[in-house]
Amino acid sequence: MELASLDPRGPAAADTAVLWWILLGFGGAVFLLFLVVLLRALRSRASESDGDSPDLIRRFLIGGGLALPVVVILMVFGLTVGAMMRFPALGSSDRLVVELTGYQWWWDVVYPQSGIRIANEMHIPVGAEVEVRMRSADVVHSFWVPTLAGKIDLLPDKQTALVIEASEEGSYRGVCAEFCGLQHAKMAITVVAVAPDEFEAWIRQTATGPPAPTGEAEVRGQTIFLETGCGECHAIAGVASGNRGPDLTHLASRHTLAGGTVPNTIGHLRSWIADPETIKAGTEMEPAGLSEQDLDDLIAYLATLE
Ligand code: CUA
């Protein structure tokens, strides 16, 4: 789904959208009033009349320049505080918790209650509050899924948190909303909201690691993965435990690659491993330097990581 803050699919985003429409309404009304006054002034100048009396001008200045802004600002302030007070309080113990860490330029996603670690994708149940606790591993990033909630920064030295809730099933696109270096624009995240029972099934399935490879190419691919040093940076449950790059335990079930840059297809995976710079210049991922055959086998193995 697009980054549409005016097409909200969650209570926090709905509050924000209502505020936006009210602000647009106020802004539009004041602009129309201004046009009417301007036209009137131009007309009286064209007819070379004496214009409005000083008393009318004085009243207009006090009303339009003082009273109207004070009323509008107070109303908008009240509505904003009201919307803020409807934000759920942090720290509720019966909520699903997701720990999100921002890296240049990808997202590490951990479910501490079930020990699941994935990347660049967050699965949540529909109709439930989810507490997202955030931190950055390097510079300041910002988590923003416009259809679900407002944005909040991920800081290197302090945890921040936000409660999100989706009211409908769907895949919601999120981005990093704070400039964080060369590939800030290629730091996307997908929030997948599913029915609660489907979510429970996802948790059960994902909590178990990937099956051991059985085919000849897949077994060889796993050896190549380890011998090439992929495991120095990437973890795969039961196989490798690198932590500089995204966890690959469930790579094959992901929708995107390279921090949301391209769809997760065999072709993209191949280009990404062979020469990451062509997809995301500046990435820390290095070219694997493999023969075509080795690359084929490695990809055959990675495709088993459901
Ligand atoms: Cu991370 Cu912009």
Side-chain angles (χ1 to χ4, degrees):
M1 167 172 267
E2 295 309 305
L3 298 169
S5 27
L6 296 182
D7 186 11
R9 302 298 164 92
D15 265 348
T16 312
V18 167
L19 267 181
W20 190 88
W21 285 113
I22 291 172
L23 283 176
L24 181 72
F26 276 133
V30 169
F31 181 64
L32 280 180
L33 186 68
F34 162 79
L35 281 185
V36 168
V37 173
L38 180 70
L39 284 176
R40 197 187 143 137
L42 288 174
R43 260 220 336 246
S44 71
R45 214 173 91 159
S47 65
E48 291 184 345
S49 71
D50 290 342
D52 296 317
S53 71
D55 189 47
L56 183 67
I57 293 172
R58 189 174 55 82
R59 269 189 294 154
F60 180 75
L61 283 178
I62 291 174
L66 213 63
L68 188 64
V70 167
V71 170
V72 170
I73 288 170
L74 279 180
M75 282 180 73
V76 171
F77 178 71
L79 290 166
T80 306
V81 170
M84 285 167 73
M85 286 172 66
R86 283 193 294 280
F87 282 178
L90 297 168
S92 166
S93 58
D94 50 0
R95 247 182 226 142
L96 173 69
V97 172
V98 179
E99 289 170 359
L100 186 66
T101 308
Y103 286 78
Q104 284 172 312
W105 298 276
W106 58 280
W107 310 85
D108 179 58
V109 182
V110 172
Y111 293 76
Q113 291 137 325
S114 43
I116 290 170
R117 166 169 253 128
I118 53 175
N120 304 319
E121 221 163 86
M122 187 188 294
H123 292 241
I124 61 170
V126 158
E129 292 180 348
V130 179
E131 188 160 321
V132 187
R133 298 181 185 160
M134 293 169 245
R135 202 175 268 284
S136 167
D138 36 53
V139 299
V140 177
H141 303 274
S142 180
F143 174 66
W144 189 35
V145 187
T147 37
L148 298 184
K151 58 183 84 159
I152 189 158
D153 280 359
L154 288 76
L155 308 172
D157 50 357
K158 183 172 177 282
Q159 182 184 275
T160 52
L162 180 71
V163 175
I164 61 170
E165 179 180 339
S167 48
E168 275 177 44
E169 290 184 34
S171 268
Y172 305 112
R173 188 174 159 80
V175 288
C176 176
E178 180 76 49
F179 181 73
C180 56
L182 184 63
Q183 295 293 4
H184 155 69
K186 291 182 177 172
M187 184 170 170
I189 185 166
T190 308
V191 176
V192 183
V194 294
D197 50 345
E198 204 178 320
F199 177 75
E200 289 305 322
W202 179 82
I203 286 279
R204 275 196 304 278
Q205 190 217 324
T206 312
T208 59
T214 48
E216 197 184 323
E218 289 84 353
V219 171
R220 226 184 130 247
Q222 190 184 60
T223 308
I224 292 164
F225 178 89
L226 293 168
E227 287 178 353
T228 311
C230 308
E232 302 294 316
C233 293
H234 295 285
I236 294 175
V239 178
S241 58
N243 62 4
R244 276 181 69 193
D247 189 295
L248 302 180
T249 305
H250 302 287
L251 173 68
S253 63
R254 256 196 246 156
H255 294 83
T256 62
L257 292 174
T261 305
V262 287
N264 186 4
T265 62
I266 292 292
H268 284 139
L269 186 57
R270 201 185 168 85
S271 315
W272 177 239
I273 296 170
D275 190 2
E277 289 282 316
T278 56
I279 290 181
K280 200 171 188 179
T283 175
E284 282 194 37
M285 169 100 168
E286 289 171 15
L290 294 172
S291 70
E292 292 293 308
Q293 182 60 55
D294 286 356
L295 198 50
D296 283 343
D297 293 346
L298 177 59
I299 287 171
Y301 167 58
L302 294 176
T304 67
L305 303 176
E306 282 291 338

